[in-house]
Amino acid sequence: MSKGPIVLAVDTPDLATAIEWVKATQDSVSVYKLGLEFFLTFGSDGVKAIKDVTDSEIFLDLKLHDIPHTVSGATKAVAHLSPKYLTVHASGGPAMIKAAVDAVPQTHITGVTILTSLSEDDVSLIGYRANALQSAVDLAVLATRAGARAIVCSPLEISAIRTAVGDQPIIITPGVRPSDSTHSDDQVRTMTPRAAIEAGASLVVIGRPITQSWSQGVHAMRDRAAEIAGDLI
Ligand code: C5P
């Protein structure tokens, strides 16, 4: 079975569980997303422990945002882990993004646009001139011009961003839910993984719709990942 365009969000505070999830799903999952909580808890050794059990890629979701010199140094500090993707906030500006790109040329510096946790009121309060959708498009254009090779955005922004940045940049979107997802959770305004890919996303970030099947055992989790991947290949 070939791997689907899935980024699995490895959101667990337990390293042994994280390793078991990766082992169970790696035939179907192209990329594993390790977030700030994971990195601050387990550090480089935790990332290496994940890399040791899979040939899939690593997405280090650190969402860096600081002056260019500091982001350059932080980026160099994780270069030895060879993450395929490393996130920075696009709102850090072109010089910051370029500093990250120059520091780790082999990594896809990935620009995070507007956090979907922000309401339109928040977006305005922060000081963006345009609404959330247009601001996300503007940030995606800014980030790719500065050298970012990937963009993170909400499903609702995919087609506008794809039109604005062209075919080349990798668009990665969380907030997707398979149509047969039965559980309710905190994700609102979702899209199915297939609809997101059809709208122009390159990769979809999926967490709980796969990881919750762990409670039914390793085979259930493997099957769930394979089922979702199969629908996307
Ligand atoms: O469990 P779920 O599929 O909702 O996981 C989605 C992952 O994507 C989580 O790691 C979450 O933090 C992340 N994310 C998100 N929405 C965003 C940005 C990131 O759900 N707008």
Side-chain angles (χ1 to χ4, degrees), residues 9 11 33 63 115-116 174-177 186-187 205-209:
D11 294 331
K33 182 170 91 69
K63 294 194 178 69
L115 297 175
T116 49
V176 294
R177 286 289 174 263
D186 50 0
Q187 294 280 16
V205 180
I206 302 180
R208 289 161 291 176

Side-chain angles (χ1 to χ4, degrees), residues 119-136:
S119 67
E120 289 291 349
D121 282 349
D122 294 332
V123 168
S124 157
L125 199 60
I126 291 168
Y128 289 104
R129 275 179 293 131
N131 63 17
L133 172 63
Q134 186 57 47
S135 299

Side-chain angles (χ1 to χ4, degrees), residues 8 11 15 89 99-100 128 171 175 201:
L8 183 74
D11 294 331
L15 182 57
H89 275 288
Y128 289 104
I171 294 181

Side-chain angles (χ1 to χ4, degrees), residues 7 30-33 57-64 71 75 78-79 81-90 96-112 143-144 146-152 162 167-172 202-203:
V7 179
S30 300
V31 186
Y32 289 98
K33 182 170 91 69
E57 308 285 2
I58 298 296
F59 180 120
L60 211 44
D61 192 14
L62 302 185
K63 294 194 178 69
L64 302 175
V71 165
T75 305
V78 295
L81 298 170
S82 306
K84 174 87 179 272
Y85 303 94
L86 173 65
T87 50
V88 302
H89 275 288
M96 186 204 80
I97 296 165
K98 186 169 182 310
V101 169
D102 290 346
V104 280
Q106 72 281 14
T107 289
H108 287 46
I109 293 299
T110 300
V112 175
T144 51
R149 283 191 270 174
I151 292 295
V152 176
R162 180 56 79 202
D167 290 342
Q168 204 62 28
I170 293 167
I171 294 181
I172 304 171
S202 322
L203 291 163

Side-chain angles (χ1 to χ4, degrees), residues 181-200:
S181 269
T182 47
H183 62 278
S184 61
D185 59 36
D186 50 0
Q187 294 280 16
V188 289
R189 298 189 300 149
T190 60
M191 225 183 230
T192 66
R194 182 187 268 282
I197 297 288
E198 283 169 359

